[in-house]
Amino acid sequence: MGLDGARSHDERTTATPRTPMPHPRPPARVPFDLAAWASAPRPEADPGVFRQDHRQLDPDRAEAAKVATWPLLLRAGLNAVVGWLAFVYGTQLALRVIVLTVWVDHPSSTAVTVVGLSVNALVLAVVIKVFGRMGRWPEVWRRYALPLLSRTVTEEVPATEEEQSEAARQRDPWAVLRQGGAGVAARRLDGEAVGDVDYVRIRRAWESAQADPAFLPAFVEQVSLRGAAAFAHPSEARELPGRAERHDLLLGQVRLGTAQDVPKNPLTHRSAGFALDPVVLGTSLLAVGPAGTGKTARLARPVAEALCLQALAGTACAVVIGAADADLGPDAWYDVVIAPGDPASRYGLDLYGAAQDPDEAAARLAEALLPDELTARAETARTALQQMVGPFHAAFGRYPGVRELRALLAGEPDSLEALVKGLRAAERLGSFERDLEHREHQRGRADDPGALLADRLALLDRPAFEGAFATDGTGRPPFAMRVLDHPLRVRVKLPERSHPEAARMLSRLLVGQFVQAAGSRGDRSLFAGLVVDDASAALDAGIVRGLQRLRGANAGVVLLLRTLVDLPEALRAPLFGAVGCRAAFPGIAPWDGKLFSEAWGTHLVRETAVTLAPDTSGGIVRRAGRLGRKALSGTTAQTESVTTREVERLRWSPSDLAHALPAGHAVVSLTAVSGEQVPPLLVDLRG
């Protein structure tokens, strides 16, 4: 119970007012140790493993580690005792056999010594080989003796001066600057508090300067002048307020939880930190689970936090879409916050995405305006919108606003007359005369798509959206999706409560614009990441096809769904094929789990079957004994046969996904941009 809830309870149960307790202060942040963080080991690992300070797991040792400590030590001790007895008596026996068979009458002392040592060594080798294997002596040595010996040697033997200097060089985060001729910049950075965002940003600028030696003086000058704030993000922000997750910005990873130590998980991931990075997000991720299972808090928000940090470091751009009340981070995380329907919003939205081609802009807008049940009319609606947007752009040099476009599609005479005059003034009437005539012929017909589009645009032509979609410069500054080659952080708050259908249209429009803009970028050095908190209204066939093109464009999308039933049935299987990463949260419906189960396929498992049958072996004595046992105990003697075979089984069955997942967990499969795949992992996302 929170503090406010506890206070309300006290006020209801007692008449004596209590002094409100002060809110506890947040714990002070531990000073960041840049040298330790930068020099931490990051071994190569499979996708999904948080590599910072990760320890590689030997599969053989992992299997041996399943044996508990005391049984392992007891078995090793018993084998040592038996091995010692075998060595003593075996040596005596071997020497006695040699004396009785091949021993000479008067051997020299040297021969006696050589024979004795040889026999001892041979018997000792056999004993160690046989009893060491049965007693698992190598595992005892690796697990207990070797760490103790290593720690003892490290404490007793001081490091040499060369070793100390090498260790200091490895812990120097600015060693590359000193070696590259930027010692002045390195000395300036030595005296400042540098965070991981600053370090990655400055290292990236250094790599750019190394590409052209002419930039080296400018790099040194900038760092000498501004120190750790050099090459800062345009917002001058160097950290995110309220940052909560564990990040490794050198690799772009965010740690979400821990892969569980269960047989279903591969050995390489068991008990390892689970992380996401642009390498796997570049194939896009689909997460399905009911409300309240942690999709937003344990997946969407950490990924949004990671993308915003990477944007501050100059390696990514982030677009985060969700309801106004969705917990996707405070507004201070973002450079641009767009809230259609909120008068206090500082930024508007460009419905055309600043597209250079009017036909392309009109096609995307038409697909976004139509609801799912009217997608069959998408082609005619797209043509009708192009017949209005193209002439308007040619006449006035800009795209029409919502009210202007609605009037043109509805066929209002004043709007059409103004458009014709504008085309005459621009000397472009001949190019679009046929389009205008075609729209005039369709006006008033029962199947006129213009009337349908005008009705749909009416949902955006509301007083609450005044100035949010202006194209003539009179409204709020519009955000266009074409700026994905800059390290921007964008948050779009959709009015799902006040204008749900308008929110659905805007969601579909924004996702479509992102897919188009990310795939057509000229500069793809930044990772373009999109997070959609509720993507049920944001997907159509065109967007699903576009997701596959993002893999080669250094971009990716994180889509969250409550259930796949919210999507048209024709989109469900193509969506599973278009994304490379899939996550199932607890409580999904069995029909949703069926798609996950089919996508993850089967694997070979070793299955053991035990068969019991009445024992009929033996002669008269054994049979008589079994009859007596049955008469006394009432049970029949049985034989047991064990059969082991390899069979194909589903990695995760629909029933397991629907009913067996514990709270706070998820089953996640990953695919890297390079094509490397990780089978579904059971991950604890609670820490």
Side-chain angles (χ1 to χ4, degrees):
M1 182 182 293
L3 182 60
D4 295 336
R7 188 181 303 122
S8 300
H9 177 73
D10 290 337
E11 291 173 357
R12 289 194 301 266
T13 56
T14 179
T16 304
R18 297 191 177 188
T19 303
M21 294 178 61
H23 291 284
R25 293 183 179 181
R29 187 176 178 183
V30 178
F32 181 68
D33 189 349
L34 176 64
W37 175 81
S39 60
R42 294 174 174 85
E44 292 294 329
D46 292 340
V49 174
F50 189 71
R51 289 169 50 185
Q52 182 180 347
D53 295 321
H54 172 65
R55 294 184 178 180
Q56 296 282 13
L57 185 65
D58 185 353
D60 296 333
R61 295 189 185 183
E63 289 295 332
K66 294 180 179 179
V67 181
T69 299
W70 286 113
L72 179 64
L73 295 178
L74 180 60
R75 182 183 299 172
L78 290 176
N79 278 272
V81 173
V82 177
W84 171 254
L85 296 176
F87 170 72
V88 172
Y89 291 106
T91 303
Q92 295 177 0
L93 179 61
L95 289 174
R96 188 170 300 175
V97 170
I98 292 175
V99 170
L100 294 177
T101 56
V102 298
W103 197 252
V104 297
D105 292 335
H106 301 287
S108 64
S109 60
T110 303
V112 172
T113 303
V114 170
V115 171
L117 292 176
S118 301
V119 169
N120 287 335
L122 180 61
V123 174
L124 182 62
V126 173
V127 167
I128 292 176
K129 179 69 174 179
V130 175
F131 293 96
R133 183 174 182 180
M134 292 191 297
R136 294 189 175 182
W137 294 351
E139 178 60 24
V140 174
W141 173 263
R142 286 194 298 262
R143 199 190 293 191
Y144 304 107
L146 191 60
L148 180 62
L149 181 61
S150 176
R151 185 163 56 250
T152 303
V153 171
T154 303
E155 292 175 354
E156 293 181 355
V157 180
T160 63
E161 294 183 1
E162 292 78 6
E163 292 174 342
Q164 292 178 355
S165 62
E166 177 65 18
R169 187 188 65 81
Q170 292 179 354
R171 286 180 55 86
D172 181 9
W174 308 114
V176 292
L177 271 64
R178 304 182 204 278
Q179 296 171 0
V184 175
R187 287 191 294 273
R188 170 63 192 271
L189 294 172
D190 286 338
E192 295 202 13
V194 182
D196 54 352
V197 176
D198 301 327
Y199 182 77
V200 174
R201 188 185 65 250
I202 294 174
R203 281 289 297 264
R204 188 170 185 269
W206 171 252
E207 292 171 0
S208 300
Q210 289 293 98
D212 189 348
F215 294 143
L216 183 59
F219 173 86
V220 175
E221 180 182 359
Q222 177 72 207
V223 175
S224 301
L225 181 64
R226 304 198 61 190
F231 312 103
H233 187 266
S235 66
E236 294 295 329
R238 297 165 53 191
E239 185 57 278
L240 289 183
R243 170 177 169 180
E245 308 299 330
R246 184 181 177 187
H247 301 267
D248 184 11
L249 292 181
L250 278 178
L251 302 177
Q253 290 189 317
V254 53
R255 191 182 191 278
L256 301 182
T258 305
Q260 297 298 279
D261 187 5
V262 294
K264 283 182 177 289
N265 286 351
L267 285 172
T268 54
H269 288 75
R270 293 180 191 175
S271 301
F274 176 77
L276 296 177
D277 54 35
V279 174
V280 295
L281 292 179
T283 63
S284 297
L285 185 148
L286 172 67
V288 181
T293 54
K295 301 190 308 299
T296 301
R298 298 189 176 105
L299 177 62
R301 180 186 168 108
V303 172
E305 181 180 307
L307 291 174
C308 289
L309 281 173
Q310 293 169 28
L312 294 181
T315 60
C317 59
V319 180
V320 181
I321 302 173
D325 56 352
D327 184 15
L328 296 170
D331 291 351
W333 282 11
Y334 301 96
D335 305 309
V336 177
V337 179
I338 307 166
D342 183 0
S345 177
R346 294 178 52 193
Y347 293 93
L349 182 65
D350 188 345
L351 295 180
Y352 305 93
Q356 302 297 323
D357 184 5
D359 287 345
E360 176 188 350
R364 185 65 256 170
L365 181 58
E367 293 172 357
L369 291 176
L370 295 182
D372 296 335
E373 60 270 16
L374 295 178
T375 52
R377 302 179 61 181
E379 190 62 37
T380 57
R382 185 184 303 113
T383 302
L385 202 59
Q386 290 172 340
Q387 290 171 343
M388 290 290 94
V389 172
F392 191 96
H393 187 271
F396 302 106
R398 62 178 178 87
Y399 292 111
V402 173
R403 189 162 299 173
E404 294 168 326
L405 183 57
R406 180 187 175 191
L408 290 172
L409 291 169
E412 294 184 3
D414 293 343
S415 299
L416 292 174
E417 184 179 352
L419 177 59
V420 172
K421 288 182 179 179
L423 287 173
R424 284 201 184 100
E427 298 181 353
R428 300 289 303 276
L429 181 60
S431 302
F432 297 98
E433 189 171 4
R434 293 183 60 185
D435 285 344
L436 297 178
E437 290 178 356
H438 188 267
R439 286 296 311 129
E440 182 65 25
H441 291 158
Q442 284 191 321
R443 188 165 56 123
R445 295 174 54 179
D447 60 347
D448 180 16
L452 171 63
L453 291 172
D455 291 340
R456 299 292 294 174
L457 279 170
L459 297 172
L460 300 179
D461 189 16
R462 304 293 301 159
F465 298 137
E466 187 69 29
F469 312 118
T471 61
D472 56 0
T474 59
R476 305 164 195 162
F479 165 75
M481 201 65 75
R482 287 291 184 183
V483 296
L484 295 181
D485 52 353
H486 296 81
L488 277 178
R489 303 166 295 162
V490 182
R491 170 73 162 98
V492 182
K493 297 182 175 181
L494 299 177
E496 290 190 355
R497 295 187 180 273
S498 57
H499 300 83
E501 191 58 30
R504 290 171 60 87
M505 289 191 298
L506 294 176
S507 176
R508 191 158 48 238
L509 176 67
L510 287 166
V511 175
Q513 288 182 352
F514 178 89
V515 171
Q516 283 186 335
S520 60
R521 288 184 301 168
D523 182 6
R524 298 179 176 179
S525 58
L526 299 181
F527 177 78
L530 172 68
V531 179
V532 187
D533 185 52
D534 183 4
S536 58
L539 300 174
D540 56 29
I543 292 175
V544 171
R545 288 192 299 269
L547 291 178
Q548 296 178 329
R549 295 193 294 268
L550 296 181
R551 300 190 182 195
N554 196 24
V557 176
V558 177
L559 304 172
L560 274 61
L561 289 174
R562 293 186 178 92
T563 175
L564 293 169
V565 177
D566 292 340
L567 299 179
E569 187 174 359
L571 279 183
R572 298 171 195 172
L575 176 61
F576 263 72
V579 298
C581 307
R582 308 172 185 94
F585 281 74
I588 66 171
W591 42 88
D592 290 344
K594 182 179 179 181
L595 276 176
F596 280 99
S597 183
E598 292 175 351
W600 288 332
T602 61
H603 64 147
L604 290 175
V605 296
R606 188 177 296 274
E607 187 177 79
T608 301
V610 180
T611 304
L612 298 177
D615 188 2
T616 59
S617 63
I620 297 177
V621 177
R622 292 191 62 183
R623 292 181 182 180
R626 287 196 295 267
L627 289 175
R629 174 185 173 184
K630 182 176 181 180
L632 294 174
S633 64
T635 59
T636 303
Q638 294 178 325
T639 60
E640 181 181 282
S641 62
V642 180
T643 304
T644 302
R645 59 176 182 172
E646 288 189 342
V647 295
E648 280 195 357
R649 291 287 184 266
L650 291 171
R651 296 182 184 273
W652 284 88
S653 69
S655 178
D656 289 339
L657 294 173
H659 306 295
L661 289 187
H665 292 64
V667 180
V668 189
S669 66
L670 303 175
T671 302
V673 177
S674 60
E676 188 176 359
Q677 295 184 343
V678 176
L681 306 170
L682 177 61
V683 181
D684 185 355
L685 299 174
R686 293 173 298 182

